[in-house]
Amino acid sequence: MRPPEQPAAPPARPRPTTPPRQRQATASPTPPHSSTLIGSVQRAMRLLECVAEHEHGAPAKQLARETGLALPTAYHLLRTLVHEGYLRRDKGLFFLGEAAERLGSSGAQQKCRSTVAETLAHWRDAIGVPVYYAMYRDGEIEVVCVSDTPGNPAVEEWADFRETGHAHAIGQCLLAQLDDDARRDHLDRYPVQSITPYTVRDNHSMLRRLERMRRAEPVTERQEYALGTVCAAIPITVGNVAATMAISLPSHQADRLPAATQQLQGALARLMGSLAISISI
């Protein structure tokens, strides 16, 4: 017996398409539509780039021609950029202004800091110790960068490094690179204080110790800043600026300190190019 004929199936309904917002969330990023860009900003950026290419300045007509802008538009944007400090005008020529130079300086500083951080990370991993980079700038001890790992942590700054330069290898190394007047000025502002039982006791003793230090030799400190820690700092002098790279170890690994210091000191000759640039950051 044949089964009764089944009514024809209705045509398949098209599947709903993904809403536009979902498609955008899953699709690969695409360049912004030109309608979302601000033309005046684009034109101003082109003018800034064009001015930067002319070390000795350029007049408005030349800038308009080279950027493909109508002269009235170029004049309007140039006046605005001068008003905001991104350009300056001198005898009809336009130059980069202080605001633009600050942007460039900030970018250079970030690049220098990145270079220092990468250098420290390399030697942190190669030697297996925390590595520090510090400078003496404007009368202050400044730890610029520290590179450590959970397995080899840096010394905790439990007492302000700036105020306790007499107690740690970084500070002693930096102070040893200064002249006598600068050392006395620093210790007048930040007098010697007992940090641990191993800390030097007074300014006079500290000054005598600094006088005995040889300018190019590493400075070693054992538990003067933090109990259970030994440190060594290697002097770096570029021009009149004092800087140092330093390492630290737990005191039960103190026997590793001389070899680790020697390894880092041997590398400094190869690092001086990048570190000399970073002195300015």
Side-chain angles (χ1 to χ4, degrees):
M1 182 175 180
R2 293 178 60 188
E5 273 189 18
Q6 299 295 323
R13 298 177 61 186
R15 296 178 63 185
T17 58
T18 305
R21 288 187 180 178
Q22 288 184 332
R23 285 203 305 270
Q24 291 176 2
T26 57
S28 59
T30 56
H33 193 275
S34 60
S35 63
T36 66
L37 302 178
I38 302 175
S40 59
V41 174
Q42 291 178 306
R43 292 188 286 272
M45 293 298 101
R46 294 212 308 269
L47 280 172
L48 281 173
E49 291 172 353
C50 191
V51 172
E53 293 174 356
H54 294 279
E55 181 181 356
H56 303 292
K61 288 183 179 180
Q62 181 180 354
L63 294 170
R65 183 175 64 254
E66 293 181 1
T67 55
L69 298 177
L71 187 57
T73 301
Y75 271 126
H76 175 72
L77 291 172
L78 289 168
R79 283 197 300 269
T80 303
L81 290 169
V82 168
H83 180 268
E84 296 298 325
Y86 290 96
L87 294 179
R88 62 182 176 85
R89 186 177 184 182
D90 184 17
K91 298 178 181 178
L93 301 178
F94 291 90
F95 303 81
L96 290 180
E98 291 184 1
E101 291 171 354
R102 283 197 300 271
L103 287 176
S105 174
S106 297
Q109 288 180 2
Q110 291 177 12
K111 184 176 181 180
C112 286
R113 288 183 184 276
S114 176
T115 299
V116 171
E118 291 172 2
T119 299
L120 265 60
H122 170 78
W123 291 105
R124 173 202 69 198
D125 296 337
I127 306 176
V129 295
V131 185
Y132 312 75
Y133 180 57
M135 298 171 55
Y136 195 82
R137 181 159 50 187
D138 298 328
E140 300 292 346
I141 294 169
E142 180 180 346
V143 179
V144 178
C145 188
V146 179
S147 187
D148 64 352
T149 64
N152 293 299
V155 177
E156 181 182 356
E157 188 179 355
W158 71 275
D160 193 327
F161 278 149
R162 294 171 301 176
E163 300 179 5
T164 56
H166 61 281
H168 48 74
I170 288 174
Q172 293 177 27
C173 185
L174 292 174
L175 292 175
Q177 296 176 62
L178 306 180
D179 60 32
D180 186 64
D181 288 341
R183 292 173 188 168
R184 291 179 181 276
D185 173 72
H186 184 90
L187 293 176
D188 284 344
R189 289 181 289 116
Y190 301 115
V192 168
Q193 52 182 311
S194 294
I195 304 297
T196 75
Y198 303 95
T199 308
V200 67
R201 292 304 174 196
D202 52 57
N203 283 15
H204 179 70
S205 300
M206 187 73 248
L207 288 169
R208 290 185 61 189
R209 179 193 289 189
L210 293 172
E211 289 172 0
R212 292 194 299 268
M213 291 180 182
R214 296 185 179 180
R215 192 174 182 86
E217 291 189 356
V219 175
T220 301
E221 166 264 305
R222 299 174 184 271
Q223 303 192 86
E224 295 181 43
Y225 176 79
L227 292 176
T229 303
V230 296
C231 303
I234 300 167
I236 304 170
T237 304
V238 179
N240 295 323
V241 180
T244 181
M245 284 185 69
I247 59 176
S248 63
L249 282 165
S251 55
H252 67 271
Q253 297 182 24
D255 58 328
R256 291 183 55 203
L257 191 64
T261 304
Q262 187 175 10
Q263 187 175 355
L264 184 58
Q265 189 176 22
L268 271 178
R270 298 190 296 275
L271 300 175
M272 278 306 296
S274 59
L275 291 178
I277 294 173
S278 70
I279 288 291
S280 62
I281 66 178

